[in-house]
Amino acid sequence: MNAYGTLLKKLIRFTNIKLTNLAEIVGYDTSYISKWCNKGKLPAAKAAPNVNKCLADVFAREIVAQEDATLFAAEFNASGPYDESSISSTIFQLLKDAYKRSYEDTAENPNMSGLTAPRMLLWQLDIKNFFVTELPQMLKCLNEPCHILCTMDICGFLPDLSYEARHTNHYNAPVHIKMGINPERRGVDHSYIPKLYYFLNNYNDINFDFYNNSCMDYMNLFIVKNCVAVQCALDKDYRISIAHIITDISQVNSLYQKINSEFTLSRLMIHSSDSEELFYNGYRTEFYAHNSFQIMVTRGFEFLLPAQINPRLIQAARNQGFDESMAQLVAHLGITWEEIFEKGEIDFYLLKTNLLRYITDGTIYFADVVYHMSVEERKEHIQHVLELVQKNPKIRFFIIDDECIPNSEYLFQMSVYNNKRKLFLKNMEHYTTQCGPSFYTIQNESLISEISQYFDTLKSESFCNVYQSEDVFRFYEKYGTMIDRMLSIE
C-alpha cells in the first residue's frame, strides 16, 4: 500500500468516521475513497489539493468534537496548538507529503504510471507499448470487475496485434470489453475474419461484446471505467498517430457514461455467452435444426462417437458436479448428432496437431463435460468414424497442417460451430483456466456469411488437405498400423 493510502486509512480509523459520510462531504463516491485507501489509487493531481484540504477539515472537526486532540498529537507526532484550524493545517500537510511520495513512487513504476499520469503519446512505439504492455499490466492490478469501451475497430487500428507474442496476463477479476466492428472495413480487408478470430483466441481470458460501430467509429475512444481513457487521432491508414491519456476519474466516467449509451443503441454483432444462456434462450436447439455444418475442432474430437459412449458421458456430467439439466443436455446432444450424422452434410476442419493429441491423450469436450476416452474407446471411435463416412459420403474432413502457420499453438484455442445461419465459438481454454467466456455467439447474418465464405476458401489453401469418404479409408489403410501402435503405448 502506498503512503497516501496508509495515512488516509489511519485517519479514518482514528476518527471512526463512516466512509459514506466522508464521501458525501468530500464529493466523491465511496468506491473512489476505498480505492485511495486500499488499492494504491490516488486522486487526480489537479484535484488533490482541494481533496486533501476537504479531508483535513473533516478529520480536524471530528477530532475536536471527540476531544481527541491530545491523543491525535501523540498518534501522529503533531505539535500544538490543538484548535480545529491548527489540526486541519497539520493533517493537510501530512496528506500533501504522503501524496507527493506516493505520486513519485507510482511514476517510477511503469505498470501503474498510466493510472495517475496524464500524457500525450506521439510515437508508434510508445502507443503500441501502452496498448500491448502497459494497459494489460494496469488491468492486472485491478481487483474488481473491469468494464472497458472501445469505439474503434481492433482489427483496423492495431492490425498486427493478433500475431504478437501470446497474451499471458492473468487478471485478478473479470474483464469485459465492448468493442466496435466496422462493416465497411470488413468489406475491403480480406484478412479481417482471421484477424478477428486470432484476436479472440489470443485474448481468450477476456469477455468481448462486439457492436456495429458505424455511428461511433469517428469518436476514437478507449475507456476503462474508474481508471483511464485514451483519446486517439488516426491517420489515413486507420493507425493511431496520437494518443491522449486521460486519468481524471470524473472525466473518465463521464466519457464512459456517454459512450456506453451509444453502444446501447448500436447493433450487437458478437456476444460473449455461457452454456446456460445458450440452453435457455434456445440457441443450441435452433442450431441443430439444420443439416449442413462447418465445424472446426481445436481440442479433441467429440463427434461421430459410438452410441455406447453416451451413457458414460451422462454419468461423467453428474460426476463432475453438473446438475441434472447438463446430463439431459448431454443425452439430447448425443441423440441429435446421431440423427445428423446419418444424412447431414458436414465439413470437419481439424488441426493436424490436435488430431495427433487426441489419439495419444483421448480428451474430448462434450458440451461442458470434459471426458477422457480410454484406449479401447478411442479404437471404437475410429472404427465408428469409418462406418459412418461409408454410410454418409457427405461427411468430409479438411486437415489443416497448423505447423505451417506461425504461432498456431495459441491462435487456435476456439472451436467453430457453423450451420451458415447460426454460428458460435467454443472457448476451449476456458475449461482449463475458467477465465473468459465459454462461448461467443455471432448475432449478424452478414458476418456469418463472411465466416462461411472464409471456410470455403480454406479448402484451396496449400496447408489444407481434403479427405472424402474413400480418402478416409485409404488414409487408415496407410496409417492405421501407426495409430494402433501409438494407442498401444498408452
Side-chain angles (χ1 to χ4, degrees), residues 5 20 49 81-82 84 100 129 142 160 187 219 243 257 259 289 300 303 323 337 350 384 392 400 410 420 486:
T20 51
Y82 301 131
E84 184 175 324
K100 182 179 179 181
N129 179 68
L142 302 178
D160 296 326
M219 294 179 178
Q257 184 176 8
I259 302 306
F303 300 95
D323 59 26
W337 277 118
L350 306 176
H384 193 60
N392 183 2
I400 299 173
Y410 64 83
K420 301 186 180 180
M486 290 172 67

Side-chain angles (χ1 to χ4, degrees), residues 153-166:
D153 190 322
I154 187 68
C155 296
F157 81 90
L158 283 177
D160 296 326
L161 185 60
S162 301
Y163 303 92
E164 297 290 340
R166 184 177 184 181

